[in-house]
Amino acid sequence: MRKLLQRCLSLNDFEKHAQRHLPHPLFAYVSGGVEDNIALQNTLNSYQRFCLIPENMVDVSQRDIAVELFGHRYAAPVGIAPMGISAITGFQGDIALARAAASKNVPFIMSGSSLMRLEDVAAVNPAMWFQAYLPKTLEEIDALVDRVKRAGIPVLVVTVDTPVKANRENNVRAGFATPFRPSLALAWQGVTHPRWLTGTLIKTLITSGMPYFENNNAVRGAPLFSNNAVRDFSGRSHLTWQHIEHIRQRWPGAMVIKGILSRNDALRCKAMGIDGIVVSNHGGRQLDTVIPPIYVLPEIVEAAGDMTVMLDSGIRRGTDAIKALSLGAKACFVGRPFNYACAVGGTAGVELAIDLISNEVSRDIGMLGAPKLADLSEKHLRYIE
């Protein structure tokens, strides 16, 4: 593993190793978008439309990339986005991600669509944030919120861009479904990927037994492997901003809304006292051809007022993060590359990935002539048609 990690010089390098390491259905689940993958590709390409304009002969010998979010000072403005079922792509993936984030002091958001109990993950990273997919009823919502509160989680993140199930055709073509249904094809994928089979799946079964979806509700959900269990993501189409207001009144800590792409939605969040928003298109995994977040970031920052504005989707380089920060984002979150790093290298892989992009941010602001993140602004950017 050490030699493999030595060959990873950027976040993009982890993907090719993960593709060889993971069974095809799992890699397809992580890497894919929705329908024709147009939103995914447009989001990745959107950062190239902004060019950087450096200012030279500035003293950048003492650079500072630290950022304060909700009372916690982090070492870098790039954190780990919530990713579901990461404990099946890498052994105890949620704990590995959380431990690496704590070690490097960067933000970490645990996904509600996870296979490890949020309480167990919070034990290794008490500063972690928890991202919830809202259950169907107010009673279930209240129970989940109360569970997160009891765990001492400081920041609750509510994702609002999943009102109906996305049409992820690539998952179907690759044979991916949750819960997994045992089959000869699935068994063959395990046999042909022995490092994943022994190092993740079998190790998980021996250590903790059958994985279950642990945090979509206040109680345990469906098992990961089953012939007849259903992972239920239906029933959210009736949810409205009144449910968010209800949670805001019940939740005492910092509250963040994830999945904002509309100025009007940002204004709604501001009006009900939300502390922060994540401008995000879910990594291009929900609505195909949806706009890349960086294109609407400036108008959302303007509407947000005192709210903390963050961004995810498509960040792969320090220069990508710098462009978002120059347009007003306070921090950025990265998903897939950290999943790949965890799959091939566990905690050490994620720590390396954090170091790589953090070092890029520090190096790039030096090249840009902006020794502090607060020095970044739109003057450093030019949009190219």
Side-chain angles (χ1 to χ4, degrees), residues 78-100:
V78 180
I80 300 176
M83 292 172 284
I85 69 169
S86 57
I88 201 63
T89 52
F91 177 65
Q92 295 187 339
D94 299 287
I95 285 181
L97 291 163
R99 185 175 283 126

Side-chain angles (χ1 to χ4, degrees), residues 15 25-35 37 40 168 170-171 282-286 336 340:
E15 181 171 359
L26 278 180
F27 180 78
Y29 167 75
V30 177
S31 63
V34 64
E35 294 184 351
N37 291 320
L40 171 60
R168 297 182 185 172
N170 59 289
N171 289 356
H282 216 106
R285 294 169 70 85
Q286 291 303 110
R336 292 177 178 93
Y340 300 143

Side-chain angles (χ1 to χ4, degrees), residues 217-287:
N217 289 280
V219 296
R220 172 178 275 185
L224 181 64
F225 292 90
S226 174
N227 281 320
N228 50 27
V230 176
R231 183 188 180 195
D232 190 358
F233 279 118
S234 63
R236 294 195 188 120
S237 58
H238 70 288
L239 297 174
T240 69
W241 287 105
Q242 282 69 43
H243 292 85
I244 300 299
E245 287 183 310
H246 176 84
I247 298 170
R248 174 69 286 183
Q249 294 169 9
R250 193 175 188 91
W251 175 256
M255 183 171 168
V256 173
I257 303 300
K258 180 178 180 293
I260 299 298
L261 290 171
S262 158
R263 181 179 185 275
N264 288 337
D265 282 349
L267 290 171
R268 291 186 181 98
C269 291
K270 179 182 176 183
M272 64 181 66
I274 299 301
D275 300 288
I277 55 178
V278 181
V279 184
S280 168
N281 67 12
H282 216 106
R285 294 169 70 85
Q286 291 303 110
L287 174 65

Side-chain angles (χ1 to χ4, degrees), residues 119-158:
E119 294 85 355
D120 296 336
V121 182
V124 302
N125 187 343
M128 80 169 207
W129 308 1
F130 179 76
Q131 172 264 331
Y133 291 109
L134 294 185
K136 298 177 182 180
T137 68
L138 278 178
E139 291 76 16
E140 291 172 315
I141 290 171
D142 288 349
L144 178 59
V145 170
D146 290 347
R147 178 186 172 191
V148 178
K149 190 190 311 181
R150 288 193 301 272
I153 305 297
V155 182
L156 175 64
V157 181
V158 179

